[in-house]
Amino acid sequence: MSKYRYSKVSGDASIREYISLEEDIDGEYTIVSKLNTPLHKIAIVEQEGNLLVYSGGYVMFSTTDDEDRYSEAMVHIAMAAAAKRKRVLIIGGGGGITTREALRYSDVRKITTLDLDEVIMKIGKKLEPVVAFNKGSLNHDKVKTVNEDGRKFLEETDKKWDVIILDLPEPSRKSVEVSRLYSVEFYSLLKERLNPGGAISIACSNGDSTPQYLWSIYATLRDAGFHVLPYYYLEEDDADDWLYCLATTSEVNPNDLSMVVSTKNLTTERLRQMFDLPYYLNIAKNTGKIQTDDNTVLVDIIDKAYYNFE
């Protein structure tokens, strides 16, 4: 991989194909590599000893402390809520960090990790700093990696899982088809592929700009027949709050959930606190709309929040 120094120049068209203005990096950084795949424009960026992997202009995963916090919240709530944890499915796990977290559980027997882009998966498997960060998770003997669309994979199998983790990009005008991984039809399929007592966690964007995004996923999951609990993770010194939904086949009381393993950032107390949503999220609860295969509910929310499209 070639390496060169890039001093940030706002609006530089040559780099804007890889790093969007919304995701601009403060200060100087090194672009380790720019890659064009059939699916994505990928930039691997090094800054202050960390790697950030951009896809379609936005950070897909990194080797930062933020990534630890995000992935712990993504994985351990569903693992705590599930009746069993023997079989885990991760859709959108090419960086291997969520897989690393799932491997903390001794009762996990098999993890299937999917990513549509083979190059992203190769980065998670072979790029040394990423492999060090994910502790070689994608090369672990309990892990099977698959390069395939998550919906197609589930439509063509009759296997079932105890825990399913959905860490997917937000749909946009450039990738409207991603909405099919958030639709009531897809969530109904997930319900068929979940064992009794199973649990699903779903990343739901940020609360400061898109609370309606969370509540639309919430409404869609409920329409598919799930019991749903929204939760969030916010560091006091961080500007962004990460939103998630926990979806289960039977009702769960957050106060009954406990951390089973030790992690950097989560305790049982912190886990339970994440279900206590702040006022600015709760007041938007009734704004959610149901995403289907045939509408653009989530794309419209993202467009309005980030691009001022009405």
Side-chain angles (χ1 to χ4, degrees), residues 52 73 104 148 154 180 220 282 287-288:
L52 298 90
R104 292 182 185 273
E148 192 171 347
L154 287 176
R180 297 179 73 254
T220 306
N282 273 322
T287 64

Side-chain angles (χ1 to χ4, degrees), residues 163-174:
V163 176
I164 300 176
I165 308 294
L166 299 179
D167 187 12
L168 299 165
E170 297 162 351
S172 69
R173 292 293 169 198
K174 293 181 179 179

